[in-house]
Amino acid sequence: QVQLVESGGGLVQAGDSLRLSCAASGRTFSDYTMGWFRQAPGKERDFVAAIRWSGDRTYYADSVKGRFTISRDNAKNTVYLQMNSLEPEDTAVYYCAASRAFNYWSTGAYDSWGRGTQVTVSS
């Protein structure tokens, strides 16, 4: 497994931007597909974005497409989530996760998770 630590969350207003970071340690970071998920109070943990090990394939939930961008720096063992045009509906705890499976959209595909970082968007 790989150890993951998220950072960069906070309280912002609607329309603002945030960049989340996820630092990895342990096994070879570049072997993994990396994903971001989020969980709002009382709701399930939902897929947000994922990026393949090489960085050439990225995937997004429809709700964030065009506003969020996932990227990775394998030399720094870090994955990022740039979030623009934030909306109150984006309020959630955001989790970083690592996977060696194909089904990047499923929480079950990920075997390593961070503890999460809170993002709160006020209207």
Side-chain angles (χ1 to χ4, degrees):
Q1 288 188 347
V2 62
Q3 290 73 48
L4 304 171
V5 179
E6 303 95 337
S7 62
L11 171 62
V12 297
Q13 292 186 334
D16 285 351
S17 298
L18 275 177
R19 188 176 82 155
L20 306 183
S21 299
C22 173
S25 61
R27 289 185 175 267
T28 306
F29 176 73
S30 58
D31 287 349
Y32 290 84
T33 289
M34 299 300 297
W36 285 97
F37 288 74
R38 66 187 182 186
Q39 189 167 19
K43 295 189 176 181
E44 294 185 349
R45 191 170 298 188
D46 291 331
F47 170 74
V48 174
I51 185 167
R52 295 294 188 194
W53 67 273
S54 61
D56 63 342
R57 295 283 185 95
T58 57
Y59 310 92
Y60 297 94
D62 287 344
S63 59
V64 306
K65 204 170 291 184
R67 299 188 298 122
F68 290 11
T69 302
I70 189 171
S71 61
R72 66 189 295 161
D73 185 337
N74 287 343
K76 295 183 177 180
N77 289 353
T78 301
V79 62
Y80 305 97
L81 185 68
Q82 178 66 44
M83 306 186 295
N84 298 330
S85 302
L86 283 162
E87 304 168 352
E89 294 74 20
D90 296 317
T91 296
V93 177
Y94 283 71
Y95 296 91
C96 171
S99 171
R100 289 183 169 182
F102 177 81
N103 48 331
Y104 60 86
W105 59 89
S106 171
T107 56
Y110 294 81
D111 51 18
S112 297
W113 291 85
R115 291 190 171 187
T117 185
Q118 176 71 46
V119 172
T120 303
V121 184
S122 64
S123 57

PDB file of all heavy atoms in Angstrom, residues 30-46:
ATOM      1  N   SER A  30       4.304   5.995  -9.018  1.00  0.00           N
ATOM      2  CA  SER A  30       3.997   5.998 -10.446  1.00  0.00           C
ATOM      3  C   SER A  30       3.344   4.703 -10.919  1.00  0.00           C
ATOM      4  O   SER A  30       2.914   4.615 -12.064  1.00  0.00           O
ATOM      5  CB  SER A  30       5.270   6.251 -11.263  1.00  0.00           C
ATOM      6  OG  SER A  30       6.242   5.268 -10.972  1.00  0.00           O
ATOM      7  N   ASP A  31       3.232   3.700 -10.048  1.00  0.00           N
ATOM      8  CA  ASP A  31       2.539   2.465 -10.408  1.00  0.00           C
ATOM      9  C   ASP A  31       1.032   2.595 -10.321  1.00  0.00           C
ATOM     10  O   ASP A  31       0.300   1.737 -10.811  1.00  0.00           O
ATOM     11  CB  ASP A  31       2.965   1.319  -9.479  1.00  0.00           C
ATOM     12  CG  ASP A  31       4.368   0.825  -9.759  1.00  0.00           C
ATOM     13  OD1 ASP A  31       4.936   1.207 -10.798  1.00  0.00           O
ATOM     14  OD2 ASP A  31       4.890   0.065  -8.921  1.00  0.00           O
ATOM     15  N   TYR A  32       0.557   3.667  -9.690  1.00  0.00           N
ATOM     16  CA  TYR A  32      -0.837   3.754  -9.310  1.00  0.00           C
ATOM     17  C   TYR A  32      -1.645   4.748 -10.133  1.00  0.00           C
ATOM     18  O   TYR A  32      -1.160   5.831 -10.474  1.00  0.00           O
ATOM     19  CB  TYR A  32      -0.965   4.179  -7.848  1.00  0.00           C
ATOM     20  CG  TYR A  32      -0.518   3.124  -6.870  1.00  0.00           C
ATOM     21  CD1 TYR A  32       0.816   2.982  -6.524  1.00  0.00           C
ATOM     22  CD2 TYR A  32      -1.450   2.268  -6.282  1.00  0.00           C
ATOM     23  CE1 TYR A  32       1.221   2.020  -5.631  1.00  0.00           C
ATOM     24  CE2 TYR A  32      -1.047   1.308  -5.383  1.00  0.00           C
ATOM     25  CZ  TYR A  32       0.283   1.191  -5.060  1.00  0.00           C
ATOM     26  OH  TYR A  32       0.683   0.231  -4.171  1.00  0.00           O
ATOM     27  N   THR A  33      -2.882   4.376 -10.402  1.00  0.00           N
ATOM     28  CA  THR A  33      -3.895   5.356 -10.770  1.00  0.00           C
ATOM     29  C   THR A  33      -4.290   6.087  -9.499  1.00  0.00           C
ATOM     30  O   THR A  33      -4.492   5.466  -8.455  1.00  0.00           O
ATOM     31  CB  THR A  33      -5.125   4.654 -11.377  1.00  0.00           C
ATOM     32  OG1 THR A  33      -4.789   4.139 -12.667  1.00  0.00           O
ATOM     33  CG2 THR A  33      -6.297   5.616 -11.509  1.00  0.00           C
ATOM     34  N   MET A  34      -4.382   7.396  -9.582  1.00  0.00           N
ATOM     35  CA  MET A  34      -4.750   8.203  -8.420  1.00  0.00           C
ATOM     36  C   MET A  34      -6.126   8.816  -8.632  1.00  0.00           C
ATOM     37  O   MET A  34      -6.446   9.280  -9.736  1.00  0.00           O
ATOM     38  CB  MET A  34      -3.719   9.310  -8.202  1.00  0.00           C
ATOM     39  CG  MET A  34      -2.313   8.801  -7.933  1.00  0.00           C
ATOM     40  SD  MET A  34      -2.220   7.760  -6.463  1.00  0.00           S
ATOM     41  CE  MET A  34      -2.706   8.934  -5.200  1.00  0.00           C
ATOM     42  N   GLY A  35      -6.903   8.819  -7.577  1.00  0.00           N
ATOM     43  CA  GLY A  35      -8.250   9.349  -7.666  1.00  0.00           C
ATOM     44  C   GLY A  35      -8.562  10.318  -6.544  1.00  0.00           C
ATOM     45  O   GLY A  35      -7.935  10.290  -5.481  1.00  0.00           O
ATOM     46  N   TRP A  36      -9.527  11.185  -6.817  1.00  0.00           N
ATOM     47  CA  TRP A  36     -10.108  12.052  -5.800  1.00  0.00           C
ATOM     48  C   TRP A  36     -11.585  11.694  -5.674  1.00  0.00           C
ATOM     49  O   TRP A  36     -12.285  11.551  -6.682  1.00  0.00           O
ATOM     50  CB  TRP A  36      -9.978  13.521  -6.177  1.00  0.00           C
ATOM     51  CG  TRP A  36      -8.609  14.090  -6.024  1.00  0.00           C
ATOM     52  CD1 TRP A  36      -7.662  14.242  -7.000  1.00  0.00           C
ATOM     53  CD2 TRP A  36      -8.018  14.589  -4.818  1.00  0.00           C
ATOM     54  NE1 TRP A  36      -6.516  14.801  -6.482  1.00  0.00           N
ATOM     55  CE2 TRP A  36      -6.718  15.034  -5.142  1.00  0.00           C
ATOM     56  CE3 TRP A  36      -8.448  14.726  -3.499  1.00  0.00           C
ATOM     57  CZ2 TRP A  36      -5.855  15.584  -4.196  1.00  0.00           C
ATOM     58  CZ3 TRP A  36      -7.595  15.279  -2.556  1.00  0.00           C
ATOM     59  CH2 TRP A  36      -6.309  15.702  -2.913  1.00  0.00           C
ATOM     60  N   PHE A  37     -12.020  11.559  -4.446  1.00  0.00           N
ATOM     61  CA  PHE A  37     -13.417  11.326  -4.124  1.00  0.00           C
ATOM     62  C   PHE A  37     -13.846  12.384  -3.124  1.00  0.00           C
ATOM     63  O   PHE A  37     -13.020  13.045  -2.501  1.00  0.00           O
ATOM     64  CB  PHE A  37     -13.601   9.929  -3.514  1.00  0.00           C
ATOM     65  CG  PHE A  37     -13.443   8.812  -4.504  1.00  0.00           C
ATOM     66  CD1 PHE A  37     -12.183   8.450  -4.970  1.00  0.00           C
ATOM     67  CD2 PHE A  37     -14.540   8.122  -4.975  1.00  0.00           C
ATOM     68  CE1 PHE A  37     -12.036   7.421  -5.889  1.00  0.00           C
ATOM     69  CE2 PHE A  37     -14.399   7.093  -5.893  1.00  0.00           C
ATOM     70  CZ  PHE A  37     -13.144   6.752  -6.345  1.00  0.00           C
ATOM     71  N   ARG A  38     -15.157  12.531  -2.944  1.00  0.00           N
ATOM     72  CA  ARG A  38     -15.655  13.451  -1.931  1.00  0.00           C
ATOM     73  C   ARG A  38     -16.886  12.884  -1.268  1.00  0.00           C
ATOM     74  O   ARG A  38     -17.620  12.094  -1.856  1.00  0.00           O
ATOM     75  CB  ARG A  38     -15.950  14.821  -2.543  1.00  0.00           C
ATOM     76  CG  ARG A  38     -17.093  14.852  -3.541  1.00  0.00           C
ATOM     77  CD  ARG A  38     -17.161  16.233  -4.187  1.00  0.00           C
ATOM     78  NE  ARG A  38     -18.276  16.335  -5.136  1.00  0.00           N
ATOM     79  CZ  ARG A  38     -18.489  17.394  -5.908  1.00  0.00           C
ATOM     80  NH1 ARG A  38     -17.662  18.442  -5.847  1.00  0.00           N
ATOM     81  NH2 ARG A  38     -19.523  17.413  -6.744  1.00  0.00           N
ATOM     82  N   GLN A  39     -17.067  13.301  -0.031  1.00  0.00           N
ATOM     83  CA  GLN A  39     -18.199  12.823   0.745  1.00  0.00           C
ATOM     84  C   GLN A  39     -18.791  13.964   1.531  1.00  0.00           C
ATOM     85  O   GLN A  39     -18.127  14.557   2.386  1.00  0.00           O
ATOM     86  CB  GLN A  39     -17.767  11.700   1.678  1.00  0.00           C
ATOM     87  CG  GLN A  39     -18.905  11.003   2.370  1.00  0.00           C
ATOM     88  CD  GLN A  39     -18.471   9.713   3.026  1.00  0.00           C
ATOM     89  OE1 GLN A  39     -17.288   9.481   3.271  1.00  0.00           O
ATOM     90  NE2 GLN A  39     -19.417   8.839   3.306  1.00  0.00           N
ATOM     91  N   ALA A  40     -20.046  14.270   1.239  1.00  0.00           N
ATOM     92  CA  ALA A  40     -20.790  15.287   1.968  1.00  0.00           C
ATOM     93  C   ALA A  40     -21.499  14.616   3.143  1.00  0.00           C
ATOM     94  O   ALA A  40     -21.746  13.394   3.111  1.00  0.00           O
ATOM     95  CB  ALA A  40     -21.784  15.962   1.044  1.00  0.00           C
ATOM     96  N   PRO A  41     -21.871  15.382   4.170  1.00  0.00           N
ATOM     97  CA  PRO A  41     -22.540  14.789   5.338  1.00  0.00           C
ATOM     98  C   PRO A  41     -23.795  14.032   4.942  1.00  0.00           C
ATOM     99  O   PRO A  41     -24.630  14.542   4.191  1.00  0.00           O
ATOM    100  CB  PRO A  41     -22.866  16.008   6.197  1.00  0.00           C
ATOM    101  CG  PRO A  41     -21.855  17.023   5.819  1.00  0.00           C
ATOM    102  CD  PRO A  41     -21.591  16.812   4.364  1.00  0.00           C
ATOM    103  N   GLY A  42     -23.912  12.812   5.416  1.00  0.00           N
ATOM    104  CA  GLY A  42     -25.087  12.006   5.150  1.00  0.00           C
ATOM    105  C   GLY A  42     -25.161  11.401   3.768  1.00  0.00           C
ATOM    106  O   GLY A  42     -26.170  10.788   3.410  1.00  0.00           O
ATOM    107  N   LYS A  43     -24.103  11.555   2.989  1.00  0.00           N
ATOM    108  CA  LYS A  43     -24.109  11.034   1.623  1.00  0.00           C
ATOM    109  C   LYS A  43     -22.973  10.036   1.419  1.00  0.00           C
ATOM    110  O   LYS A  43     -22.058   9.929   2.226  1.00  0.00           O
ATOM    111  CB  LYS A  43     -23.993  12.182   0.614  1.00  0.00           C
ATOM    112  CG  LYS A  43     -25.185  13.130   0.636  1.00  0.00           C
ATOM    113  CD  LYS A  43     -25.126  14.112  -0.501  1.00  0.00           C
ATOM    114  CE  LYS A  43     -26.368  14.985  -0.526  1.00  0.00           C
ATOM    115  NZ  LYS A  43     -26.356  15.954  -1.648  1.00  0.00           N
ATOM    116  N   GLU A  44     -23.052   9.320   0.314  1.00  0.00           N
ATOM    117  CA  GLU A  44     -22.011   8.356  -0.016  1.00  0.00           C
ATOM    118  C   GLU A  44     -20.772   9.081  -0.538  1.00  0.00           C
ATOM    119  O   GLU A  44     -20.815  10.236  -0.937  1.00  0.00           O
ATOM    120  CB  GLU A  44     -22.527   7.381  -1.073  1.00  0.00           C
ATOM    121  CG  GLU A  44     -23.653   6.488  -0.583  1.00  0.00           C
ATOM    122  CD  GLU A  44     -24.053   5.451  -1.610  1.00  0.00           C
ATOM    123  OE1 GLU A  44     -23.610   5.558  -2.770  1.00  0.00           O
ATOM    124  OE2 GLU A  44     -24.797   4.525  -1.251  1.00  0.00           O
ATOM    125  N   ARG A  45     -19.678   8.338  -0.529  1.00  0.00           N
ATOM    126  CA  ARG A  45     -18.432   8.863  -1.084  1.00  0.00           C
ATOM    127  C   ARG A  45     -18.488   8.743  -2.601  1.00  0.00           C
ATOM    128  O   ARG A  45     -18.643   7.648  -3.142  1.00  0.00           O
ATOM    129  CB  ARG A  45     -17.240   8.089  -0.524  1.00  0.00           C
ATOM    130  CG  ARG A  45     -15.909   8.711  -0.828  1.00  0.00           C
ATOM    131  CD  ARG A  45     -14.797   8.042  -0.037  1.00  0.00           C
ATOM    132  NE  ARG A  45     -14.982   8.204   1.406  1.00  0.00           N
ATOM    133  CZ  ARG A  45     -14.074   7.855   2.292  1.00  0.00           C
ATOM    134  NH1 ARG A  45     -12.913   7.323   1.909  1.00  0.00           N
ATOM    135  NH2 ARG A  45     -14.310   8.030   3.586  1.00  0.00           N
ATOM    136  N   ASP A  46     -18.362   9.868  -3.288  1.00  0.00           N
ATOM    137  CA  ASP A  46     -18.543   9.920  -4.729  1.00  0.00           C
ATOM    138  C   ASP A  46     -17.230  10.184  -5.460  1.00  0.00           C
ATOM    139  O   ASP A  46     -16.382  10.945  -4.991  1.00  0.00           O
ATOM    140  CB  ASP A  46     -19.529  11.032  -5.108  1.00  0.00           C
ATOM    141  CG  ASP A  46     -20.940  10.731  -4.666  1.00  0.00           C
ATOM    142  OD1 ASP A  46     -21.306   9.539  -4.573  1.00  0.00           O
ATOM    143  OD2 ASP A  46     -21.693  11.701  -4.420  1.00  0.00           O
TER     144      ASP A  46
END
